[in-house]
Amino acid sequence: MSLLHPYYIIAMVYMLIFSIQEVYGNKVDRKWFWFLGVYLVIIAGLRDNVGPDYGSYWSIYFYSSTKEYWSIFMKALHIETSESIDIEWLYVLINKIMIGVFNAPYYMLLLLIAILAIFFKVRYTEDNTFYPFTFTLFMFIPGFFVGESGQIRQNLATFMIYFAIKYIKERKLWHYLFFVFIGSGIHNVCYLFLPMYWLVRMPMNKTIMLILIIGSIILSPFEVYRFFGDFLGNMASDSELIGGFNGYMDETAERLNGGFGIPEAMMAILTFFLFAFDTKMVQKYPYYEYHRMYAVVGICMYFIFRSNPVFSSRLVGAFVGFAYILIPNAMYVTSKMTKSLIYSFILALVVFNFIVFSTFNNIKAGRFSIDLYKNHILP
């Protein structure tokens, strides 16, 4: 077992203190959550050779500088040119401007991406839960290490599309389409979220949810996703990054061949909360129906893609990452005793994830440990 660097432990303790206050005390002033965001920007954006994907994104940084602006513009319009661009257009453009115009060192790109990602993360968290510190602590491991300190491109795009749910709530279609377009310029996984503008308004109840989830479990062995050909594969595959991504994950042959592992356990937990608190959440929690639809889509996608370790983690993770917000939100609609039980369960999961993340040697693999982590400004 490896030990996380104290910078990460400090963040977790900070979140825990304010989490207890927001659950059992008065509402916490939002400025303390923004202070957390600034701190997370520093430890993620100014990391030095930290994260299994660090070298892969370094290669992309200099690869982008070789591309012409005209080719990037045509890529944004989905028009092929003689100059091939294999990465999404907006991410290439950001890289090219940083290195071509500002001659910025690589870590300045990481800092910019971290600022953008955490800005959207803070905004979306504030808008969608009364327990921002609790939710952020709950998702910190492995989310922060796979996302802000790992797959930075998909992470930024995903938080942009999470933020854009506000335009679904406000029924501002063109605003939402703009964010889908911009987000897909960072990572094309955002195209999967396009139907959500209409899907969230569809009627849903426990019977329909049960039918959809059981149907997805039945379809799981048949790999029906293969009918979509290269469309989904292009969303999930980055040949430069798959090796780094796999450095975080411990996908065993036994689990992929029908066994039961941590992903299945988390799907079971999410499904339990979805059904156990559905009635009260519909009555008391604002826009719960929208969150519920993301959860149902995520759970169904997980079982449909289960036999593919990349699809079931990267594509499904984009939906499930939002769906997990239902777990802390359930505390808002329950009695004091049930609220305490849910909160204790969340803290237990945080401890469990910490132990698992350490045991699988992911801390060492990502250089997040006390002896390997380095930062450009922090000692």
Side-chain angles (χ1 to χ4, degrees):
M1 179 181 290
S2 304
L3 182 65
L4 276 173
H5 194 281
Y7 294 146
Y8 300 112
I9 304 296
I10 290 171
M12 295 182 71
V13 172
Y14 181 92
M15 286 184 278
L16 177 61
I17 292 172
F18 284 105
S19 171
I20 294 172
Q21 181 176 340
E22 71 185 5
V23 171
Y24 294 111
N26 299 321
K27 183 178 180 180
V28 179
D29 192 310
R30 63 196 301 266
K31 70 179 180 182
W32 300 110
F33 194 49
W34 282 98
F35 286 159
L36 171 66
V38 172
Y39 180 73
L40 295 180
V41 164
I42 293 172
I43 62 176
L46 291 171
R47 57 195 163 92
D48 181 9
N49 195 23
V50 173
D53 308 303
Y54 188 92
S56 299
Y57 280 105
W58 184 88
S59 299
I60 292 174
Y61 188 50
F62 292 97
Y63 160 86
S64 301
S65 67
T66 66
K67 303 303 176 181
E68 299 295 332
Y69 285 108
W70 174 251
S71 298
I72 297 173
F73 174 74
M74 297 303 286
K75 173 78 171 182
L77 299 177
H78 297 277
I79 299 175
E80 295 294 331
T81 64
S82 58
E83 183 178 42
S84 175
I85 298 179
D86 300 322
I87 308 296
E88 280 77 356
W89 67 273
L90 183 54
Y91 187 77
V92 173
L93 179 62
I94 293 172
N95 279 253
K96 184 172 179 63
I97 291 175
M98 289 293 290
I99 195 171
V101 177
F102 299 103
N103 194 27
Y106 172 54
Y107 70 85
M108 293 303 295
L109 170 74
L110 297 183
L111 177 62
L112 174 63
I113 298 298
I115 290 172
L116 293 173
I118 292 174
F119 168 80
F120 287 115
K121 180 178 185 176
V122 170
R123 287 295 309 275
Y124 121 82
T125 304
E126 285 185 328
D127 289 345
N128 291 281
T129 180
F130 295 115
Y131 309 104
F133 284 99
T134 304
F135 177 65
T136 308
L137 176 63
F138 175 49
M139 299 296 292
F140 189 69
I141 298 177
F144 184 76
F145 302 95
V146 176
E148 285 90 337
S149 301
Q151 292 285 329
I152 58 173
R153 195 161 59 89
Q154 179 169 337
N155 182 71
L156 171 58
T158 302
F159 281 125
M160 289 176 68
I161 210 70
Y162 286 177
F163 167 79
I165 193 178
K166 66 177 295 183
Y167 299 119
I168 299 181
K169 296 174 182 178
E170 297 169 1
R171 306 312 294 167
K172 294 181 178 179
L173 175 59
W174 290 108
H175 290 70
Y176 187 70
L177 292 179
F178 173 77
F179 266 85
V180 171
F181 174 69
I182 295 297
S184 63
I186 301 292
H187 197 287
N188 53 21
V189 72
C190 290
Y191 284 127
L192 286 177
F193 288 87
L194 179 59
M196 297 308 294
Y197 186 88
W198 296 275
L199 285 178
V200 294
R201 299 293 291 268
M202 293 181 63
M204 182 72 68
N205 55 46
K206 292 182 181 180
T207 301
I208 297 175
M209 290 192 295
L210 187 62
I211 292 172
L212 290 174
I213 293 173
I214 292 178
S216 300
I217 294 173
I218 294 173
L219 290 174
S220 181
F222 298 102
E223 300 184 359
V224 294
Y225 59 85
R226 294 184 181 275
F227 290 109
F228 291 94
D230 295 333
F231 175 71
L232 293 175
N234 291 335
M235 289 188 180
S237 64
D238 285 324
S239 58
E240 290 279 345
L241 304 175
I242 291 298
F245 175 77
N246 288 340
Y248 293 106
M249 302 301 176
D250 185 22
E251 294 285 0
T252 65
E254 177 184 0
R255 193 193 71 74
L256 292 176
N257 289 326
F260 189 89
I262 294 175
E264 286 76 19
M266 293 305 298
M267 288 303 103
I269 291 169
L270 180 57
T271 303
F272 169 79
F273 275 84
L274 189 62
F275 282 88
F277 301 100
D278 182 71
T279 302
K280 290 185 178 179
M281 292 284 272
V282 169
Q283 295 171 350
K284 299 181 180 180
Y285 205 92
Y287 293 103
Y288 160 73
E289 294 87 346
Y290 291 11
H291 302 171
R292 177 178 60 188
M293 183 59 76
Y294 280 84
V296 172
V297 171
I299 293 169
C300 291
M301 287 177 63
Y302 174 77
F303 287 107
I304 290 173
F305 294 142
R306 183 170 180 258
S307 60
N308 187 307
V310 177
F311 285 7
S312 64
S313 54
R314 298 186 65 180
L315 295 183
V316 175
F319 280 88
V320 174
F322 186 92
Y324 282 142
I325 208 167
L326 293 179
I327 297 177
N329 284 359
M331 294 190 292
Y332 183 77
V333 302
T334 59
S335 65
K336 289 184 178 180
M337 179 177 294
T338 305
K339 181 178 182 179
S340 296
L341 289 173
I342 294 173
Y343 187 61
S344 299
F345 178 71
I346 290 173
L347 294 184
L349 280 178
V350 170
V351 174
F352 174 77
N353 287 337
F354 181 89
I355 294 173
V356 169
F357 195 63
S358 303
T359 303
F360 283 172
N361 201 37
N362 294 339
I363 290 177
K364 285 285 187 180
R367 301 179 64 85
F368 302 118
S369 63
I370 189 172
D371 57 323
L372 296 177
Y373 177 85
K374 294 181 181 179
N375 191 282
H376 286 283
I377 65 170
L378 297 176

